[in-house]
Amino acid sequence: MRFCPFSQRVHLILDAKGIPHHKIYIDLIDKPEWYKDYSPLGKVPALQLTSVKEQPTLVESLIITEYLDEQYPELRLFPTDTLQKAQDKILIERFAPVVSAVYPVLTCNPSAPTDALTNFETALDVFEQELARRGSPYFAGQTIGIVDYMIWPWFERFPSLKLTTEQKYELKPERFGLLLKWRELVSQNEAVGKTALDAQLHADFQSSKRLGKPQYDIAFRA
Amino acid sequence: MRFCPFSQRVHLILDAKGIPHHKIYIDLIDKPEWYKDYSPLGKVPALQLTSVKEQPTLVESLIITEYLDEQYPELRLFPTDTLQKAQDKILIERFAPVVSAVYPVLTCNPSAPTDALTNFETALDVFEQELARRGSPYFAGQTIGIVDYMIWPWFERFPSLKLTTEQKYELKPERFGLLLKWRELVSQNEAVGKTALDAQLHADFQSSKRLGKPQYDIAFRA
Protein backbone atom coordinates (compact mmCIF):
# COMPACT_ATOMS: atom_id res chain seq x y z
CA MET A 1 0.00 0.00 0.00
CA ARG A 2 1.64 3.17 -1.24
CA PHE A 3 0.89 5.16 1.93
CA CYS A 4 1.87 2.45 4.41
CA PRO A 5 4.87 3.51 6.52
CA PHE A 6 5.80 -0.10 7.21
CA SER A 7 5.91 -0.88 3.49
CA GLN A 8 7.97 2.25 2.97
CA ARG A 9 10.57 0.90 5.40
CA VAL A 10 11.17 -2.06 3.09
CA HIS A 11 11.15 0.10 -0.06
CA LEU A 12 13.80 2.32 1.55
CA ILE A 13 16.07 -0.66 2.23
CA LEU A 14 15.58 -2.12 -1.25
CA ASP A 15 16.45 1.27 -2.77
CA ALA A 16 19.32 2.00 -0.37
CA LYS A 17 20.93 -1.33 -1.26
CA GLY A 18 20.07 -1.14 -4.94
CA ILE A 19 18.30 -4.50 -4.89
CA PRO A 20 16.31 -5.11 -8.07
CA HIS A 21 12.64 -5.51 -7.22
CA HIS A 22 9.15 -5.13 -8.53
CA LYS A 23 6.42 -3.44 -6.51
CA ILE A 24 2.74 -4.37 -6.47
CA TYR A 25 0.47 -2.05 -4.56
CA ILE A 26 -2.78 -3.33 -3.12
CA ASP A 27 -5.98 -1.78 -1.82
CA LEU A 28 -5.96 -2.49 1.91
CA ILE A 29 -9.72 -2.14 2.27
CA ASP A 30 -10.65 -4.20 -0.76
CA LYS A 31 -7.82 -6.72 -0.63
CA PRO A 32 -7.21 -8.94 -3.64
CA GLU A 33 -8.04 -12.61 -2.99
CA TRP A 34 -4.54 -13.77 -3.96
CA TYR A 35 -2.85 -11.61 -1.35
CA LYS A 36 -3.47 -13.99 1.56
CA ASP A 37 -1.43 -16.66 -0.24
CA TYR A 38 1.55 -14.37 0.34
CA SER A 39 0.64 -12.72 3.63
CA PRO A 40 -1.70 -15.05 5.58
CA LEU A 41 -2.83 -12.29 7.96
CA GLY A 42 -3.24 -9.83 5.08
CA LYS A 43 -0.59 -7.48 6.44
CA VAL A 44 1.63 -5.30 4.28
CA PRO A 45 4.44 -5.34 3.38
CA ALA A 46 5.14 -8.80 2.02
CA LEU A 47 8.30 -9.56 0.05
CA GLN A 48 8.39 -12.55 -2.25
CA LEU A 49 11.89 -13.84 -2.95
CA THR A 50 11.46 -14.77 -6.57
CA SER A 51 15.05 -15.88 -7.10
CA VAL A 52 15.03 -18.26 -4.14
CA LYS A 53 13.90 -21.90 -4.43
CA GLU A 54 10.13 -22.23 -3.92
CA GLN A 55 9.86 -18.41 -4.00
CA PRO A 56 9.04 -17.93 -0.30
CA THR A 57 7.43 -14.74 0.96
CA LEU A 58 8.57 -12.81 4.02
CA VAL A 59 6.40 -10.49 6.11
CA GLU A 60 6.98 -8.02 8.98
CA SER A 61 9.01 -4.95 7.99
CA LEU A 62 11.78 -5.39 10.57
CA ILE A 63 12.26 -9.08 9.85
CA ILE A 64 12.41 -8.38 6.10
CA THR A 65 14.86 -5.55 6.69
CA GLU A 66 17.21 -7.63 8.78
CA TYR A 67 17.04 -10.44 6.23
CA LEU A 68 17.94 -8.03 3.41
CA ASP A 69 20.77 -6.57 5.45
CA GLU A 70 22.30 -9.99 6.02
CA GLN A 71 21.66 -11.20 2.49
CA TYR A 72 23.01 -8.06 0.80
CA PRO A 73 25.82 -7.04 3.15
CA GLU A 74 27.72 -4.73 0.74
CA LEU A 75 26.14 -1.71 2.42
CA ARG A 76 25.66 -2.68 6.06
CA LEU A 77 22.77 -0.85 7.72
CA PHE A 78 22.57 -2.68 11.03
CA PRO A 79 25.60 -2.31 13.32
CA THR A 80 27.89 -5.32 13.08
CA ASP A 81 28.54 -5.15 16.81
CA THR A 82 26.07 -7.51 18.54
CA LEU A 83 25.35 -5.21 21.48
CA GLN A 84 24.97 -2.06 19.35
CA LYS A 85 22.64 -3.98 17.06
CA ALA A 86 20.46 -5.04 20.00
CA GLN A 87 20.43 -1.47 21.31
CA ASP A 88 19.41 -0.11 17.90
CA LYS A 89 16.58 -2.64 17.71
CA ILE A 90 15.41 -1.57 21.17
CA LEU A 91 15.50 2.06 20.02
CA ILE A 92 13.37 1.16 16.99
CA GLU A 93 10.90 -0.53 19.39
CA ARG A 94 10.83 2.68 21.43
CA PHE A 95 9.34 4.40 18.38
CA ALA A 96 6.10 2.39 18.82
CA PRO A 97 4.78 4.75 21.56
CA VAL A 98 5.50 7.72 19.24
CA VAL A 99 3.47 6.09 16.49
CA SER A 100 0.58 5.01 18.70
CA ALA A 101 0.31 8.49 20.26
CA VAL A 102 0.37 10.40 16.96
CA TYR A 103 -1.61 7.91 14.87
CA PRO A 104 -5.13 9.21 15.67
CA VAL A 105 -4.04 12.78 14.91
CA LEU A 106 -2.10 11.84 11.80
CA THR A 107 -5.10 9.94 10.44
CA CYS A 108 -7.45 12.87 11.18
CA ASN A 109 -9.51 10.77 13.59
CA PRO A 110 -12.11 13.18 15.01
CA SER A 111 -12.11 11.27 18.31
CA ALA A 112 -8.34 11.53 18.82
CA PRO A 113 -7.59 11.99 22.54
CA THR A 114 -7.06 15.66 23.42
CA ASP A 115 -3.66 14.84 24.93
CA ALA A 116 -2.50 12.86 21.87
CA LEU A 117 0.04 15.45 20.72
CA THR A 118 1.33 15.95 24.25
CA ASN A 119 1.93 12.21 24.57
CA PHE A 120 3.47 12.18 21.11
CA GLU A 121 5.99 14.85 22.10
CA THR A 122 6.86 13.06 25.34
CA ALA A 123 7.52 9.84 23.41
CA LEU A 124 9.55 11.75 20.83
CA ASP A 125 11.73 13.36 23.52
CA VAL A 126 13.47 9.97 23.81
CA PHE A 127 14.73 10.35 20.23
CA GLU A 128 15.85 13.97 20.64
CA GLN A 129 17.77 12.91 23.76
CA GLU A 130 19.23 9.87 22.05
CA LEU A 131 20.55 11.96 19.14
CA ALA A 132 22.16 14.29 21.70
CA ARG A 133 23.63 11.33 23.58
CA ARG A 134 25.04 9.81 20.38
CA GLY A 135 26.43 13.18 19.33
CA SER A 136 26.22 12.42 15.60
CA PRO A 137 24.11 13.80 12.75
CA TYR A 138 22.47 10.41 12.12
CA PHE A 139 21.41 7.82 14.68
CA ALA A 140 23.88 5.50 12.94
CA GLY A 141 26.76 7.99 13.18
CA GLN A 142 28.27 10.00 10.32
CA THR A 143 26.21 8.16 7.70
CA ILE A 144 22.65 6.99 7.53
CA GLY A 145 21.78 3.62 9.07
CA ILE A 146 19.03 1.32 10.22
CA VAL A 147 17.39 3.44 12.95
CA ASP A 148 17.31 6.42 10.60
CA TYR A 149 15.57 4.48 7.85
CA MET A 150 13.17 2.62 10.17
CA ILE A 151 11.73 5.75 11.81
CA TRP A 152 11.89 7.97 8.71
CA PRO A 153 8.46 7.15 7.19
CA TRP A 154 6.70 8.84 10.12
CA PHE A 155 8.91 11.92 9.93
CA GLU A 156 7.89 12.21 6.29
CA ARG A 157 4.26 12.26 7.48
CA PHE A 158 4.58 14.64 10.47
CA PRO A 159 4.57 17.82 8.29
CA SER A 160 1.07 16.87 7.10
CA LEU A 161 -0.08 17.75 10.65
CA LYS A 162 0.48 21.41 9.77
CA LEU A 163 -2.12 21.00 7.03
CA THR A 164 -4.63 18.86 8.86
CA THR A 165 -4.71 20.11 12.46
CA GLU A 166 -6.59 23.18 13.61
CA GLN A 167 -3.53 24.53 15.44
CA LYS A 168 -1.31 23.90 12.36
CA TYR A 169 0.93 21.66 14.42
CA GLU A 170 4.68 21.59 13.80
CA LEU A 171 7.63 20.18 15.76
CA LYS A 172 9.07 23.06 17.79
CA PRO A 173 12.77 23.79 17.10
CA GLU A 174 13.42 24.66 20.75
CA ARG A 175 12.35 21.16 21.80
CA PHE A 176 13.26 19.07 18.75
CA GLY A 177 16.20 20.99 17.30
CA LEU A 178 18.43 17.99 16.66
CA LEU A 179 15.62 15.92 15.18
CA LEU A 180 14.67 18.76 12.83
CA LYS A 181 18.28 19.02 11.61
CA TRP A 182 18.31 15.24 11.27
CA ARG A 183 15.06 15.34 9.29
CA GLU A 184 16.53 17.89 6.90
CA LEU A 185 19.61 15.69 6.38
CA VAL A 186 17.69 12.46 5.90
CA SER A 187 15.27 14.08 3.45
CA GLN A 188 18.24 14.58 1.11
CA ASN A 189 19.12 10.87 1.09
CA GLU A 190 18.74 9.26 -2.34
CA ALA A 191 16.65 6.26 -1.26
CA VAL A 192 14.46 8.56 0.83
CA GLY A 193 13.93 10.77 -2.21
CA LYS A 194 12.85 7.77 -4.30
CA THR A 195 10.00 6.83 -1.95
CA ALA A 196 9.02 10.37 -0.91
CA LEU A 197 5.49 11.74 -1.04
CA ASP A 198 4.90 15.33 -0.03
CA ALA A 199 2.97 16.59 2.99
CA GLN A 200 -0.01 17.71 0.89
CA LEU A 201 -0.41 14.26 -0.62
CA HIS A 202 -0.26 12.60 2.80
CA ALA A 203 -2.85 15.09 4.07
CA ASP A 204 -5.11 14.45 1.07
CA PHE A 205 -4.86 10.71 1.54
CA GLN A 206 -5.74 10.91 5.25
CA SER A 207 -8.70 13.16 4.47
CA SER A 208 -10.00 10.68 1.90
CA LYS A 209 -9.51 7.87 4.42
CA ARG A 210 -11.43 9.75 7.10
CA LEU A 211 -14.28 10.19 4.65
CA GLY A 212 -14.50 6.42 4.39
CA LYS A 213 -13.04 5.97 0.92
CA PRO A 214 -9.22 5.88 1.06
CA GLN A 215 -7.85 7.14 -2.26
CA TYR A 216 -4.80 4.91 -2.51
CA ASP A 217 -4.28 5.87 -6.13
CA ILE A 218 -3.69 9.58 -5.57
CA ALA A 219 -0.04 8.69 -4.93
CA PHE A 220 0.27 8.01 -8.64
CA ARG A 221 -1.48 11.08 -9.99
CA ALA A 222 1.90 12.76 -10.64
CA MET B 1 8.04 -11.33 37.32
CA ARG B 2 8.00 -15.04 38.06
CA PHE B 3 4.79 -15.72 36.13
CA CYS B 4 5.64 -13.61 33.05
CA PRO B 5 5.91 -15.76 29.90
CA PHE B 6 8.15 -13.16 28.22
CA SER B 7 10.58 -13.23 31.14
CA GLN B 8 10.49 -17.01 31.04
CA ARG B 9 11.67 -16.89 27.42
CA VAL B 10 14.88 -15.20 28.53
CA HIS B 11 15.32 -17.50 31.53
CA LEU B 12 15.01 -20.48 29.19
CA ILE B 13 17.77 -19.18 26.93
CA LEU B 14 20.06 -18.30 29.84
CA ASP B 15 19.58 -21.81 31.24
CA ALA B 16 19.82 -23.56 27.87
CA LYS B 17 23.14 -21.86 27.19
CA GLY B 18 24.41 -22.19 30.75
CA ILE B 19 25.05 -18.44 31.04
CA PRO B 20 25.75 -17.41 34.64
CA HIS B 21 23.10 -14.93 35.76
CA HIS B 22 21.27 -13.55 38.76
CA LYS B 23 17.51 -13.12 38.78
CA ILE B 24 15.60 -10.35 40.51
CA TYR B 25 11.83 -10.70 40.51
CA ILE B 26 9.65 -7.62 40.79
CA ASP B 27 6.04 -6.91 41.67
CA LEU B 28 4.49 -5.70 38.41
CA ILE B 29 1.65 -3.86 40.15
CA ASP B 30 3.74 -2.18 42.81
CA LYS B 31 6.91 -1.65 40.77
CA PRO B 32 10.10 -0.69 42.57
CA GLU B 33 11.22 2.90 41.85
CA TRP B 34 14.65 1.76 40.62
CA TYR B 35 13.21 -0.46 37.91
CA LYS B 36 12.59 2.33 35.41
CA ASP B 37 16.35 3.07 35.39
CA TYR B 38 16.72 -0.32 33.72
CA SER B 39 13.49 -0.61 31.75
CA PRO B 40 12.20 2.91 30.96
CA LEU B 41 8.72 1.65 30.02
CA GLY B 42 8.61 -0.62 33.06
CA LYS B 43 8.36 -3.75 30.95
CA VAL B 44 9.75 -7.13 31.97
CA PRO B 45 12.10 -8.77 31.23
CA ALA B 46 15.16 -6.56 31.40
CA LEU B 47 18.67 -8.00 31.27
CA GLN B 48 21.57 -5.97 32.64
CA LEU B 49 24.93 -6.95 31.17
CA THR B 50 27.05 -6.58 34.28
CA SER B 51 30.28 -7.73 32.65
CA VAL B 52 30.03 -5.23 29.76
CA LYS B 53 31.42 -1.69 29.99
CA GLU B 54 28.86 0.72 31.47
CA GLN B 55 26.64 -2.26 32.31
CA PRO B 56 23.91 -1.58 29.74
CA THR B 57 20.44 -3.11 30.07
CA LEU B 58 18.54 -4.79 27.25
CA VAL B 59 14.76 -5.14 27.04
CA GLU B 60 12.29 -7.02 24.78
CA SER B 61 12.47 -10.79 25.07
CA LEU B 62 13.17 -11.51 21.39
CA ILE B 63 15.90 -8.87 21.10
CA ILE B 64 17.56 -10.16 24.27
CA THR B 65 17.30 -13.72 22.99
CA GLU B 66 18.91 -12.94 19.65
CA TYR B 67 21.66 -10.99 21.40
CA LEU B 68 22.39 -13.93 23.70
CA ASP B 69 22.39 -16.34 20.77
CA GLU B 70 24.97 -14.27 18.88
CA GLN B 71 27.06 -13.52 21.97
CA TYR B 72 27.10 -17.14 23.22
CA PRO B 73 27.16 -19.12 19.97
CA GLU B 74 28.41 -22.45 21.39
CA LEU B 75 24.84 -23.76 21.34
CA ARG B 76 23.15 -22.08 18.37
CA LEU B 77 19.39 -21.74 18.81
CA PHE B 78 18.52 -19.54 15.82
CA PRO B 79 19.11 -21.11 12.39
CA THR B 80 22.40 -19.93 10.89
CA ASP B 81 20.76 -19.75 7.45
CA THR B 82 19.53 -16.18 6.90
CA LEU B 83 16.27 -17.18 5.23
CA GLN B 84 15.43 -19.91 7.72
CA LYS B 85 16.15 -17.45 10.54
CA ALA B 86 13.76 -14.90 9.03
CA GLN B 87 11.10 -17.59 8.57
CA ASP B 88 11.47 -18.74 12.18
CA LYS B 89 11.09 -15.14 13.39
CA ILE B 90 7.94 -14.79 11.29
CA LEU B 91 6.61 -18.02 12.82
CA ILE B 92 7.29 -16.64 16.31
CA GLU B 93 5.33 -13.49 15.32
CA ARG B 94 2.49 -15.74 14.19
CA PHE B 95 2.17 -16.86 17.81
CA ALA B 96 0.90 -13.39 18.80
CA PRO B 97 -2.67 -14.12 17.61
CA VAL B 98 -2.61 -17.35 19.67
CA VAL B 99 -1.61 -15.38 22.75
CA SER B 100 -4.08 -12.55 22.24
CA ALA B 101 -6.96 -14.98 21.68
CA VAL B 102 -6.25 -17.15 24.72
CA TYR B 103 -5.09 -14.39 27.08
CA PRO B 104 -8.52 -13.40 28.47
CA VAL B 105 -9.37 -17.06 29.16
CA LEU B 106 -5.95 -17.88 30.58
CA THR B 107 -6.19 -14.92 32.96
CA CYS B 108 -9.72 -15.92 34.06
CA ASN B 109 -11.16 -12.66 32.76
CA PRO B 110 -14.93 -12.94 33.34
CA SER B 111 -15.58 -10.80 30.25
CA ALA B 112 -13.54 -13.00 27.90
CA PRO B 113 -15.24 -13.14 24.47
CA THR B 114 -17.36 -16.27 24.09
CA ASP B 115 -15.46 -17.21 20.92
CA ALA B 116 -12.03 -16.76 22.54
CA LEU B 117 -11.20 -20.47 22.62
CA THR B 118 -12.45 -20.97 19.07
CA ASN B 119 -10.18 -18.17 17.85
CA PHE B 120 -7.36 -19.59 19.93
CA GLU B 121 -7.68 -22.98 18.25
CA THR B 122 -7.81 -21.43 14.79
CA ALA B 123 -4.61 -19.48 15.50
CA LEU B 124 -2.98 -22.59 16.93
CA ASP B 125 -3.83 -24.64 13.82
CA VAL B 126 -0.98 -22.77 12.08
CA PHE B 127 1.50 -24.37 14.47
CA GLU B 128 0.05 -27.87 14.18
CA GLN B 129 0.24 -27.53 10.38
CA GLU B 130 3.77 -26.13 10.53
CA LEU B 131 5.00 -29.07 12.63
CA ALA B 132 3.44 -31.40 10.06
CA ARG B 133 5.06 -29.46 7.22
CA ARG B 134 8.47 -29.52 8.88
CA GLY B 135 8.08 -33.23 9.63
CA SER B 136 10.31 -33.14 12.70
CA PRO B 137 9.67 -33.62 16.43
CA TYR B 138 10.78 -30.05 17.22
CA PHE B 139 10.15 -26.90 15.19
CA ALA B 140 13.93 -26.64 14.96
CA GLY B 141 14.35 -30.20 13.67
CA GLN B 142 15.72 -33.18 15.62
CA THR B 143 16.76 -31.00 18.57
CA ILE B 144 15.14 -28.10 20.38
CA GLY B 145 15.61 -24.59 18.96
CA ILE B 146 14.46 -21.03 19.05
CA VAL B 147 10.80 -21.40 17.98
CA ASP B 148 10.35 -24.22 20.50
CA TYR B 149 11.70 -22.14 23.37
CA MET B 150 9.93 -18.92 22.38
CA ILE B 151 6.44 -20.42 22.29
CA TRP B 152 6.94 -22.85 25.17
CA PRO B 153 5.93 -20.56 28.09
CA TRP B 154 2.33 -20.49 26.85
CA PHE B 155 2.19 -24.26 26.39
CA GLU B 156 3.27 -24.58 30.01
CA ARG B 157 0.24 -22.42 30.92
CA PHE B 158 -2.42 -24.04 28.68
CA PRO B 159 -2.99 -27.03 31.04
CA SER B 160 -4.17 -24.55 33.70
CA LEU B 161 -7.25 -24.03 31.49
CA LYS B 162 -8.43 -27.50 32.59
CA LEU B 163 -8.47 -26.22 36.16
CA THR B 164 -9.92 -22.77 35.58
CA THR B 165 -12.53 -23.14 32.82
CA GLU B 166 -16.02 -24.45 33.36
CA GLN B 167 -15.70 -26.91 30.47
CA LYS B 168 -12.28 -28.11 31.80
CA TYR B 169 -10.68 -27.15 28.49
CA GLU B 170 -7.86 -29.23 27.03
CA LEU B 171 -6.19 -29.35 23.62
CA LYS B 172 -7.87 -32.15 21.67
CA PRO B 173 -5.49 -34.89 20.43
CA GLU B 174 -7.42 -35.32 17.20
CA ARG B 175 -6.78 -31.69 16.26
CA PHE B 176 -3.45 -30.99 17.97
CA GLY B 177 -1.82 -34.41 18.01
CA LEU B 178 1.61 -33.28 16.85
CA LEU B 179 1.67 -30.30 19.20
CA LEU B 180 0.72 -32.51 22.14
CA LYS B 181 3.58 -34.90 21.32
CA TRP B 182 5.85 -31.88 20.94
CA ARG B 183 4.71 -30.53 24.31
CA GLU B 184 5.52 -33.84 26.00
CA LEU B 185 9.01 -33.80 24.44
CA VAL B 186 9.77 -30.16 25.28
CA SER B 187 8.57 -30.60 28.86
CA GLN B 188 11.46 -33.04 29.34
CA ASN B 189 14.08 -30.49 28.28
CA GLU B 190 16.50 -29.56 31.06
CA ALA B 191 16.19 -25.76 30.71
CA VAL B 192 12.42 -26.09 30.52
CA GLY B 193 12.46 -28.14 33.72
CA LYS B 194 14.47 -25.45 35.50
CA THR B 195 11.89 -22.71 34.88
CA ALA B 196 8.79 -24.91 35.13
CA LEU B 197 5.79 -24.14 37.33
CA ASP B 198 2.90 -26.60 37.42
CA ALA B 199 -0.63 -26.04 36.13
CA GLN B 200 -2.10 -25.71 39.63
CA LEU B 201 0.33 -22.91 40.50
CA HIS B 202 -0.46 -21.04 37.27
CA ALA B 203 -4.19 -21.46 37.99
CA ASP B 204 -3.75 -20.21 41.58
CA PHE B 205 -1.80 -17.20 40.39
CA GLN B 206 -4.42 -16.27 37.81
CA SER B 207 -7.18 -16.63 40.40
CA SER B 208 -5.33 -14.32 42.79
CA LYS B 209 -4.81 -11.83 39.96
CA ARG B 210 -8.48 -11.90 39.04
CA LEU B 211 -9.34 -11.14 42.67
CA GLY B 212 -7.26 -7.95 42.33
CA LYS B 213 -4.25 -8.97 44.41
CA PRO B 214 -1.78 -10.96 42.28
CA GLN B 215 0.17 -13.31 44.55
CA TYR B 216 3.52 -13.20 42.77
CA ASP B 217 5.23 -14.90 45.70
CA ILE B 218 3.28 -18.16 45.55
CA ALA B 219 5.84 -19.31 42.97
CA PHE B 220 8.35 -19.54 45.79
CA ARG B 221 6.15 -21.22 48.40
CA ALA B 222 7.49 -24.75 47.80
Side-chain angles (χ1 to χ4, degrees):
Chain A
M1 196 279 272
R2 184 62 178 92
F3 288 96
C4 172
F6 296 98
S7 296
Q8 191 179 358
R9 280 179 165 180
V10 172
H11 291 161
L12 286 168
I13 303 310
L14 289 166
D15 284 333
K17 290 179 174 276
I19 303 168
H21 60 279
H22 173 66
K23 293 173 190 176
I24 299 175
Y25 296 107
I26 65 163
D27 184 327
L28 271 190
I29 303 291
D30 187 17
K31 275 179 204 160
E33 252 316 289
W34 54 261
Y35 192 63
K36 67 173 188 316
D37 295 339
Y38 298 89
S39 177
L41 301 178
K43 290 160 93 179
V44 292
L47 179 71
Q48 189 184 24
L49 308 173
T50 51
S51 58
V52 171
K53 197 180 148 221
E54 291 178 6
Q55 310 202 334
T57 300
L58 302 181
V59 292
E60 299 290 340
S61 63
L62 286 176
I63 295 174
I64 295 174
T65 298
E66 203 169 351
Y67 167 81
L68 292 174
D69 202 43
E70 291 180 2
Q71 200 64 18
Y72 299 86
E74 296 74 17
L75 173 76
R76 270 279 181 195
L77 295 173
F78 277 93
T80 45
D81 176 72
T82 304
L83 177 60
Q84 188 56 53
K85 184 167 75 172
Q87 288 172 325
D88 273 9
K89 286 185 189 176
I90 293 166
L91 188 58
I92 294 167
E93 282 295 322
R94 285 299 295 276
F95 204 67
V98 176
V99 173
S100 59
V102 81
Y103 185 80
V105 191
L106 211 50
T107 54
C108 310
N109 186 334
S111 49
T114 50
D115 58 355
L117 286 171
T118 309
N119 294 337
F120 161 63
E121 291 185 330
T122 304
L124 203 55
D125 281 340
V126 171
F127 287 81
E128 179 73 13
Q129 287 156 13
E130 185 65 18
L131 259 189
R133 205 189 62 77
R134 297 194 178 194
S136 53
Y138 297 97
F139 284 95
Q142 296 306 313
T143 53
I144 198 165
I146 200 65
V147 175
D148 306 286
Y149 279 128
M150 291 299 101
I151 66 175
W152 170 256
W154 288 270
F155 281 90
E156 182 182 298
R157 284 148 183 81
F158 295 155
S160 73
L161 295 170
K162 193 182 174 182
L163 306 168
T164 57
T165 58
E166 211 168 312
Q167 75 267 47
K168 303 189 194 315
Y169 181 85
E170 284 188 279
L171 294 177
K172 293 165 208 68
E174 55 278 21
R175 184 163 177 177
F176 298 111
L178 295 174
L179 277 175
L180 288 168
K181 265 188 214 158
W182 168 88
R183 183 168 81 184
E184 185 52 35
L185 255 181
V186 176
S187 72
Q188 294 160 29
N189 174 270
E190 199 186 328
V192 164
K194 279 191 183 171
T195 66
L197 296 176
D198 67 25
Q200 187 62 56
L201 210 48
H202 281 295
D204 290 351
F205 171 69
Q206 293 303 343
S207 305
S208 77
K209 201 171 154 203
R210 184 174 49 83
L211 295 170
K213 187 76 202 102
Q215 299 294 311
Y216 296 112
D217 290 345
I218 60 172
F220 310 104
R221 68 185 178 194
Chain B
M1 197 277 275
R2 185 62 178 93
F3 288 95
C4 172
F6 298 97
S7 296
Q8 190 179 359
R9 281 178 165 180
V10 173
H11 291 161
L12 286 168
I13 303 310
L14 289 166
D15 284 333
K17 289 180 173 275
I19 302 168
H21 61 280
H22 174 66
K23 295 173 189 173
I24 299 176
Y25 296 107
I26 65 164
D27 183 328
L28 270 190
I29 302 292
D30 187 17
K31 276 180 203 159
E33 249 321 288
W34 55 260
Y35 192 63
K36 68 173 191 312
D37 296 340
Y38 299 89
S39 177
L41 301 178
K43 290 159 91 178
V44 292
L47 179 70
Q48 187 183 25
L49 308 172
T50 51
S51 57
V52 172
K53 198 180 148 223
E54 292 177 6
Q55 310 203 334
T57 300
L58 303 180
V59 290
E60 299 291 341
S61 63
L62 285 176
I63 297 175
I64 295 174
T65 297
E66 201 168 352
Y67 167 80
L68 291 174
D69 202 44
E70 292 180 2
Q71 200 64 18
Y72 298 86
E74 295 74 17
L75 173 78
R76 271 278 182 196
L77 295 173
F78 277 92
T80 46
D81 176 71
T82 303
L83 176 61
Q84 187 55 52
K85 185 168 73 172
Q87 289 172 323
D88 273 9
K89 284 184 190 178
I90 293 166
L91 188 58
I92 294 167
E93 281 295 322
R94 284 300 296 276
F95 203 66
V98 177
V99 172
S100 59
V102 80
Y103 185 79
V105 190
L106 211 49
T107 55
C108 311
N109 186 334
S111 50
T114 50
D115 58 355
L117 285 171
T118 310
N119 294 336
F120 161 64
E121 291 185 331
T122 305
L124 203 56
D125 281 340
V126 172
F127 287 80
E128 179 74 13
Q129 286 156 15
E130 184 65 18
L131 258 190
R133 204 189 62 78
R134 297 193 178 195
S136 53
Y138 297 97
F139 285 95
Q142 295 306 313
T143 54
I144 196 165
I146 200 64
V147 175
D148 306 286
Y149 278 128
M150 292 299 100
I151 67 175
W152 169 256
W154 288 271
F155 281 91
E156 181 182 299
R157 283 151 183 79
F158 294 156
S160 74
L161 294 169
K162 194 180 173 185
L163 306 169
T164 59
T165 59
E166 211 167 314
Q167 77 268 46
K168 303 191 194 315
Y169 180 84
E170 284 187 279
L171 294 177
K172 292 166 210 64
E174 54 278 20
R175 183 162 178 178
F176 298 111
L178 295 174
L179 277 175
L180 287 169
K181 264 189 214 157
W182 168 87
R183 182 168 83 184
E184 185 52 33
L185 255 181
V186 176
S187 72
Q188 292 160 27
N189 175 270
E190 199 186 329
V192 164
K194 278 192 182 172
T195 66
L197 295 176
D198 67 26
Q200 187 61 57
L201 211 47
H202 282 295
D204 291 350
F205 172 69
Q206 294 302 343
S207 306
S208 77
K209 201 172 154 201
R210 183 174 50 83
L211 295 170
K213 187 73 201 103
Q215 299 293 312
Y216 296 112
D217 290 344
I218 59 170
F220 310 104
R221 67 187 175 192

